[in-house]
Amino acid sequence: MVTWYLEQTSPTDPRPATAPDPAQGVRVARARVPSPEFSRFLYTAVGGDVSWTDRLSWDRERWRVFLERPAVETLVAYVHDTPAGFIELEGQSAGAVEISYFGLLPDFRGRGIGGHLLSEGVARAWD
C-alpha cells in the first residue's frame, strides 16, 4: 500500500476543480450530526475495493468518540441525493488540517465529482 502526503501552505495554492454540470445533481454537504453507522458505511463503501482496513475493527463507540471530536468534520458528496463519496477533515495542532480520508464509491468514480469534492474539502479546511 502507498500513502501519499501533500502539504498546502497557502489557500491560493490549488486551482479549484470545475464544478460538475448542474444536470448531474451533485451537491456537497457537511454531515452535521455525528453518525457512527453512516461514517462506517462511507468508509467501507469507498475503501472496500482499495484495501482500507485500519478502521474495520472499530466498534460503534470508537466511531462515536472519534466523530464527536470538534476537530473532525465530514463532507459528503451526493448525486441526486444518493451518497457518492466523502472527505474527512481532522484538525491538528497549530491550526493545521489533515484530510484523513477522501474518495468516491466505485460507481461514482470517473464522473468529475472527486475533484469538486476535494476542492470543497480543501476550501473548508482553510475556513
Side-chain angles (χ1 to χ4, degrees), residues 37-49:
E37 293 82 6
F38 187 52
S39 290
R40 181 174 172 83
F41 160 74
L42 291 170
Y43 175 84
T44 58
V46 170
D49 68 335

Side-chain angles (χ1 to χ4, degrees), residues 87-107:
I87 185 166
E88 183 182 271
L89 306 174
E90 186 174 0
Q92 307 292 312
S93 62
V97 176
E98 179 178 340
I99 296 172
S100 302
Y101 284 93
F102 162 73
L104 299 172
L105 282 77
D107 287 344

Side-chain angles (χ1 to χ4, degrees), residues 34-110:
S35 171
E37 293 82 6
F38 187 52
S39 290
R40 181 174 172 83
F41 160 74
L42 291 170
Y43 175 84
T44 58
V46 170
D49 68 335
V50 290
S51 303
W52 289 0
T53 59
D54 58 316
R55 293 187 181 175
L56 291 179
S57 65
W58 286 19
D59 63 13
R60 185 181 193 287
E61 179 65 10
R62 186 162 179 192
W63 277 102
R64 185 191 63 74
V65 168
F66 175 77
L67 294 169
E68 288 182 351
R69 293 177 41 231
V72 175
E73 285 190 16
T74 303
L75 301 177
V76 182
Y78 294 91
V79 174
H80 297 293
D81 297 327
T82 301
F86 77 108
I87 185 166
E88 183 182 271
L89 306 174
E90 186 174 0
Q92 307 292 312
S93 62
V97 176
E98 179 178 340
I99 296 172
S100 302
Y101 284 93
F102 162 73
L104 299 172
L105 282 77
D107 287 344
F108 295 97
R109 295 175 189 155

Side-chain angles (χ1 to χ4, degrees), residues 3 7 26 30 32-33 42 45 50 68 70 77 103 107-108 111 114 123:
T3 302
E7 181 179 16
V26 176
R30 179 176 166 210
R32 295 185 182 273
V33 178
L42 291 170
V50 290
E68 288 182 351
D107 287 344
F108 295 97
R111 297 186 190 184

